[in-house]
Amino acid sequence: MEVLYEREKIDDHAIELSKEKEIYKRRIVWRNVMILSSLHIGAIYGIYLTLTSAKLLTTLFGILLGMCSGFGITAGAHRLWAHRSYKAKWQLRLILIIFNTIAFQDAAIDWARDHRVHHKYSETDADPHNAKRGFFFSHVGWLLLRKHPEVKQKGKGIDMSDLKSDPIIAFQKKYYFLLMPMMCFVLPSLIPMYFWNETFLNAYFVPVVFRYVYTLNTTWLVNSAAHLFGNKPYDKYINPSENKGVAMMALGEGWHNYHHVFPWDYKTSELGNYRFNITTAFIDFFAKIGWAYDLKSVAKDMVKARVLKSGDGTHDVWGWGDKDQTQEEKQQAIVTYTSSTKDQ
């Protein structure tokens, strides 16, 4: 997940990599502490209103928004833009960028940049949410502190040209601080008030604040719980683990040991069903109507070989096309719903 409220620009990352390393001093970002604390208090109040006064339609609207914003992260920022595990026509990319803006976890290109760094340098100082610094840090603490200099420095070496060339991504980045408040806070508050005469407090604290905080925490659990708790059938030498509970809450993003071994698999898991991987069902639906294509997955023999080998902890590919991805992986990958078009 990308840092909230961070107004960094991709172009700011053009200073030389050879610059002498900065000495890291832990500095609290008090603005983020106050904002996130207030949001969580508001979410608790939202739960109270859900149980006592909010209309059923308001609660259902909040659930719908939570699903949509979740897909904006899982199917959009994560599997499509960070890992390039499949490609999407402009219609699906437009839907996903809208969902992603509702989610308010920073612009998609910034989210993808930090996530690529996370995979390339997992559990090091360059990892934005290094799980070796503890559960709290990897869950939310990393948003409450200034980034480690290694995160910024390694981020400058990540190729983001594929996303910079996408006009939909560029549009969201340029107008993010105009689009995000409208999509995440204003419209979701006004819709219940206008269409079914909900009160302002219910309309704001249930489908907006409570929904937003819940979505944030399900994303954060992938960085924290799924890096600390669970089994490791694919690579026992790395932190990421298979965590069914996280998978259920995060729309299928909890199969993390597999995902860090094969980050370019669009399913982010070996599962052949949708029971604990709703995002895969979402992508498969759009593949059937032609809006998603070139879906990449791992051959069974490759998975079996990795399981038997147990890995050596050196697998550090951020997604399809990474310079360190082996030719064997590319040759044995299964690409479905292929197309000759040049959409991302």
Side-chain angles (χ1 to χ4, degrees), residues 3-263:
V3 177
L4 295 171
Y5 323 113
E6 191 81 36
R7 292 177 180 263
E8 295 177 344
K9 297 179 180 178
I10 292 296
D11 292 339
D12 290 342
H13 297 287
I15 67 173
E16 299 178 6
L17 292 177
S18 58
K19 184 178 179 181
E20 186 177 349
K21 289 185 177 180
E22 301 176 44
I23 297 176
Y24 176 62
K25 294 182 179 179
R26 189 162 54 188
R27 293 172 55 196
I28 298 174
V29 183
W30 288 107
R31 178 189 58 177
N32 287 8
V33 172
M34 291 185 289
I35 291 174
L36 287 173
S37 297
S38 299
L39 283 169
H40 280 75
I41 293 171
I44 294 172
Y45 183 53
I47 295 173
Y48 169 76
L49 293 177
T50 301
L51 299 174
T52 59
S53 63
K55 295 180 180 180
L56 177 60
L57 202 55
T58 303
T59 302
L60 294 176
F61 179 61
I63 294 172
L64 176 63
L65 279 180
M67 291 288 291
C68 291
S69 59
F71 287 136
I73 298 300
T74 61
H78 188 214
R79 303 191 194 187
L80 176 61
W81 291 311
H83 292 299
R84 295 174 58 193
S85 63
Y86 71 101
K87 297 179 181 179
K89 300 289 183 66
W90 72 266
Q91 297 95 327
L92 176 54
R93 298 199 328 267
L94 180 60
I95 291 172
L96 288 173
I97 208 69
I98 292 172
F99 288 175
N100 181 265
T101 307
I102 295 172
F104 181 25
Q105 295 186 23
D106 217 336
I109 191 169
D110 295 330
W111 198 105
R113 178 202 64 220
D114 271 16
H115 195 71
R116 290 179 181 183
V117 174
H118 163 64
H119 273 262
K120 288 288 289 184
Y121 306 101
S122 188
E123 323 302 8
T124 69
D125 286 336
D127 184 346
H129 30 79
N130 179 6
K132 289 186 176 179
R133 294 178 66 176
F135 179 90
F136 182 80
F137 176 83
S138 59
H139 190 75
V140 65
W142 65 284
L143 293 168
L144 308 179
L145 299 173
R146 293 293 180 191
K147 286 182 180 179
H148 193 288
E150 282 292 293
V151 175
K152 296 181 179 181
Q153 183 163 320
K154 297 299 184 183
K156 302 177 188 92
I158 298 295
D159 182 11
M160 302 299 296
S161 59
D162 57 314
L163 300 188
K164 288 182 180 181
S165 63
D166 185 335
I168 293 177
I169 290 285
F171 181 85
Q172 187 213 36
K173 175 64 177 177
K174 183 176 181 179
Y175 298 105
Y176 189 72
F177 287 97
L178 293 175
L179 297 171
M180 177 276 296
M182 185 63 63
M183 301 297 293
C184 183
F185 297 102
V186 178
L187 287 178
S189 297
L190 293 178
I191 289 174
M193 295 170 63
Y194 180 81
F195 286 100
W196 54 87
N197 199 32
E198 183 58 275
T199 65
F200 169 75
L201 287 179
N202 289 338
Y204 180 69
F205 283 101
V206 177
V208 177
V209 178
F210 176 36
R211 175 267 308 173
Y212 175 51
V213 170
Y214 177 83
T215 305
L216 283 180
N217 278 277
T218 56
T219 302
W220 296 343
L221 282 170
V222 180
N223 301 332
S224 56
H227 272 256
L228 296 170
F229 311 115
N231 61 321
K232 304 174 182 180
Y234 307 99
D235 192 337
K236 63 184 180 182
Y237 299 110
I238 60 178
N239 270 37
S241 308
E242 303 288 282
N243 191 305
K244 184 184 292 186
V246 174
M248 293 173 66
M249 290 185 285
L251 306 179
E253 299 292 85
W255 311 111
H256 225 47
N257 191 247
Y258 180 93
H259 175 57
H260 269 256
V261 174
F262 302 110

Side-chain angles (χ1 to χ4, degrees), residues 242-314:
E242 303 288 282
N243 191 305
K244 184 184 292 186
V246 174
M248 293 173 66
M249 290 185 285
L251 306 179
E253 299 292 85
W255 311 111
H256 225 47
N257 191 247
Y258 180 93
H259 175 57
H260 269 256
V261 174
F262 302 110
W264 45 268
D265 189 326
Y266 86 100
K267 304 186 306 299
T268 71
S269 73
E270 193 182 356
L271 298 179
N273 57 64
Y274 302 142
R275 185 170 51 176
F276 299 117
N277 202 336
I278 302 175
T279 301
T280 299
F282 177 90
I283 297 171
D284 283 347
F285 168 78
F286 283 101
K288 292 183 184 299
I289 65 173
W291 289 8
Y293 61 98
D294 285 5
L295 279 56
K296 302 171 185 70
S297 57
V298 185
K300 289 184 178 180
D301 288 344
M302 184 185 291
V303 175
K304 181 179 179 180
R306 186 71 184 201
V307 170
L308 294 175
K309 181 182 179 183
S310 293
D312 59 7
T314 62

